[in-house]
Amino acid sequence: MAFTPNLPAAARRHLEAAEELVTGTRQDVAGYLYGIAAECAVKAMMENIPLVRRDEAFYAHFPELRTILRDALQGRVARPLSALINDDRFLNNWHVRMRYADSRQILSDWVAAWSEQARRAVNAMGS
């Protein structure tokens, strides 16, 4: 089955799921979902920026996605996305491969930071 991407909806869905999990005993899974939510939000914002190499960026994950976008972003239309991407703390320590890691490797301080950053990214998408 082919799934049609809807990046803003996916960002909000993953953020909502993370918020439900973080209040329970699965902060590690919440942390992963915060990163996915932030990535979806970033990719939703990059859809409106013509200089981004879409195929390369669409399938990239942090931290590689940050490098691709930093090379491509410029101009006024890119400012909200640039503000996220140029913050070296944004999704620091988050990686898509963490889904294979032992949960003890996912630090609660990281999850707290990813939570704030995912909410900031989803809010930056606008409505």
Side-chain angles (χ1 to χ4, degrees):
M1 176 175 186
F3 294 101
T4 304
N6 183 331
L7 293 167
R12 290 183 183 95
R13 174 171 47 100
H14 291 300
L15 179 61
E16 183 180 317
E19 298 285 61
E20 289 185 22
L21 289 171
V22 80
T23 59
T25 59
R26 298 315 313 242
Q27 288 193 9
D28 55 326
V29 180
Y32 178 72
L33 291 177
Y34 282 130
I36 294 293
E39 274 198 357
C40 289
V42 164
K43 290 176 181 180
M45 286 187 279
M46 77 181 194
E47 287 184 318
N48 300 323
I49 300 170
L51 295 176
V52 175
R53 295 165 286 174
R54 298 205 184 292
D55 290 344
E56 182 182 13
F58 188 81
Y59 294 105
H61 298 284
F62 276 85
E64 292 82 13
L65 180 58
R66 178 194 323 269
T67 301
I68 292 168
L69 292 175
R70 279 183 173 172
D71 289 345
L73 294 178
Q74 54 185 302
R76 196 173 354 166
V77 72
R79 280 195 187 141
L81 183 53
S82 292
L84 294 172
I85 295 301
N86 289 323
D87 180 350
D88 288 334
R89 295 169 297 172
F90 187 72
L91 293 187
N92 195 22
N93 296 309
W94 188 92
H95 198 286
V96 72
R97 285 181 284 176
M98 65 187 271
R99 66 183 179 246
Y100 305 119
D102 187 304
S103 65
R104 292 173 293 192
Q105 293 181 295
I106 314 300
L107 304 182
S108 61
D109 290 351
W110 295 351
V111 175
W114 299 333
S115 168
E116 182 276 328
Q117 293 160 356
R119 277 188 250 109
R120 187 164 40 116
V122 169
N123 288 336
M125 289 188 313
S127 51

